[in-house]
Amino acid sequence: MGFKDFCFKKSLWLFHYGGASCNNCDIEILDCLTPRYDVERFGMKLVGSPRHADVLLVNGSINKRDKDRLLEVYDQMAKPVKVVAVGACGCTGGIFAEGIPFAGPVDKIIPVDAYIPGCPPKPEAIIAGIVKLIETI
Amino acid sequence: MGAHILYFLVYPGFLFTAIVGGLIAGVDRKLTAAVQFRKGPPVLQPFYDFFKLLLVKETILPASGSKITFLLAPVFALSGISIAAVLVMMPLLGINTGFEGDIIVIFYLLTIPSLTYIIGAMASGNPLASVGASREMKLIIGYELTFLLVIAAIIYKSGAETSLYQIIQTQQAGSVHIGSISGVLLFIAGMFCTQAKLGLVPFDMGEAETEIAEGAFIEYSGSAFALIKLSKYMLFFTLPALIILLFMGGVQLTGIHVLWAILKLVAVVLLITLIRNTNPRLKINQAMRFFFVWMNALVVIAIVLSYFGY
C-alpha cells in the first residue's frame, strides 16, 4: 500500500445524493455524523460541493428524472470516486423496483463500490459498509 | 543569500509554518470534537486531507470563466501568506531583520489570501462562488478598518515604533500590551479580526457550507484546492503568532520560556476554537455592523484610554 492510497483512505469526503427517497436513509446517514457514531473519527466529513467529494452516497430509488441528475453529479466529481449505494432502494430498487418511473438500481447507471442493504440500514450497518469500502482501497 | 532562502523556504518560513499550521488545524478539529462530545479525527488529519487533494485527486477546470486566473489564484494566496509568515515569524523568533515599517507591510500581505480567494471565485464562473466572493469582499471592507486601527493603536502604545522587532523589545522591556485596560480592549477587537480573517464561525458567511456549499471554493478540486487548504493552515498559525507578537510580548526560546511560548500559542488557538464553537453564523449585514459600529468604537475607546495612560 503506497502513500497515496494511505492518504486517500484516511480522508474520504462524502457527498450525499438522495434520489426518490422516503428520507429514512437520509436520517440514518446523518445519524452517522452525530456524536454517538461520529464517522469523523475516520477522517470523513460531509461536503457541500461534489467537486470536493471522494465518496458519493446514493440512497432512494432512482427514477427517470433522477437518473440524469445522478449522472450529472457523478460527472462533476473529481476522480477517483467511490460510490456507495445505501438502503434497499439504492441496492436493488426495493419496493419501487417494478414501478413505471423506475430507472434501474444505482449500479445500472454508475459503477458502485459498496452496497449497504437495509430499510433503512442502521448507523452501525452504514459504518460497517464504510469500513468494507476502506478495505477495498 | 543562502541563509535568506533558508529563512524563506524552511525555517521560519514556508515549511515550518505549514507543518505547525497543519498541526494547529488538527488540534482545532480535535477540540471542536471535544466540545461536541465526540472523539474526532486524528491530529494529523489536515496532512492526510492535503496530500490526498494534492496527489490523488484530479483537478477540474471550469468550462466557463478564466482558467489561468482560476489556477493562479491559489498560488498567489500561498505566496502571499508565505511572505507574511516569514515577516511575522522572524521577529517573533528573535531574528532582527532591521526592517522599519514591516507591521504595515504585514497588514497588506495578510489581505492577499482573501483577495486571491475572491479573484479565484470570480474566475470560476459559478454563481454560488460569486455569492461567496461578494460576501467575502464585504467582510474585508468590514474588518480591515478595525484591524488597521488596532495596528495604529499598537504602534502608538509602543512609542511610535513601526518595526515588529522593536515592538517586542518595547514589551519585553516594559509591560506587555495586554496587561493594560486599553490593551485588553484592543485584544478583543484583534481576536475578532483574526476570526474574520481565518473565515471561521461566526464570520464564515463567505464559505457557508450549508447555504452556498463552500461558496468561494465551490469549483476548486484536486491540487488547486490543496494549495488553498495549505494557505488556510498557514494563516491559522501566522495570525495567532501575530496576536502573540502584538499583545503578549512575543516569545523567548531559551530554557523554560519555550513552554511559556507554547502555552501562549495554545491559549490563543483555544480562544479562537471556542469562539468558533459557541457562536452561530452571522448574516453579512450583522457582521459589517459589528465591525463598523461596535469594534471600531471599542478600538477608538482603547486609543483614547491609552492616550491617558491606562
Side-chain angles (χ1 to χ4, degrees), chain A residues 46-96:
Chain A
L46 213 54
V47 291
S49 163
R51 293 267 193 252
H52 306 165
D54 310 300
V55 177
L56 178 62
L57 294 174
V58 189
N59 67 322
S61 77
I62 306 299
N63 58 30
K64 282 173 186 157
R65 288 196 173 208
D66 291 336
K67 188 179 168 183
D68 300 338
R69 285 148 182 80
L70 180 60
L71 280 171
E72 182 74 31
V73 168
Y74 185 72
D75 288 341
Q76 280 181 1
M77 293 172 76
K79 308 291 177 296
V81 161
K82 298 281 169 187
V83 181
V84 180
V86 182
C89 302
C91 295
T92 63
I95 58 168
F96 302 104

Side-chain angles (χ1 to χ4, degrees), chain A residues 9-12 39-44 127 131 134, chain B residues 45:
Chain A
K9 198 180 203 174
K10 289 292 247 179
S11 145
L12 292 172
V39 287
E40 208 186 339
R41 288 178 288 165
F42 309 119
M44 296 177 180
I127 291 173
V131 170
I134 288 176
Chain B
Q45 186 62 43

Side-chain angles (χ1 to χ4, degrees), chain A residues 2-3 11 14-15 21 26-27 36 39 44-47 54-55 59-60 63 67 78 105 107 116-117 123-124 137:
Chain A
F3 181 65
S11 145
L14 317 171
F15 183 78
S21 167
D26 304 78
I27 293 166
R36 192 176 177 91
V39 287
M44 296 177 180
K45 66 174 185 180
L46 213 54
V47 291
D54 310 300
V55 177
N59 67 322
N63 58 30
K67 188 179 168 183
D107 54 3
I116 303 173
E124 290 91 341
I137 294 168

Side-chain angles (χ1 to χ4, degrees), chain A residues 3-4 6-8 10-11 13 35 38 40-41 43 45 48-49 51-54 76-81, chain B residues 29 36-42 45 48-49 51-52 56-58 60 213-214 217-221 225:
Chain A
F3 181 65
K4 282 184 184 180
F6 177 73
C7 288
F8 188 48
K10 289 292 247 179
S11 145
W13 292 357
D38 188 27
E40 208 186 339
R41 288 178 288 165
K45 66 174 185 180
S49 163
R51 293 267 193 252
H52 306 165
D54 310 300
Q76 280 181 1
M77 293 172 76
K79 308 291 177 296
V81 161
Chain B
R29 282 180 75 173
Q36 297 166 351
F37 300 107
R38 291 189 285 124
K39 191 154 171 272
Q45 186 62 43
Y48 302 145
D49 290 350
F51 283 114
K52 176 203 72 175
V56 182
K57 300 295 280 185
E58 162 197 32
I60 298 175
E214 310 257 341
F217 312 126
I218 186 168
E219 283 290 325
Y220 280 103
S221 60
F225 195 46

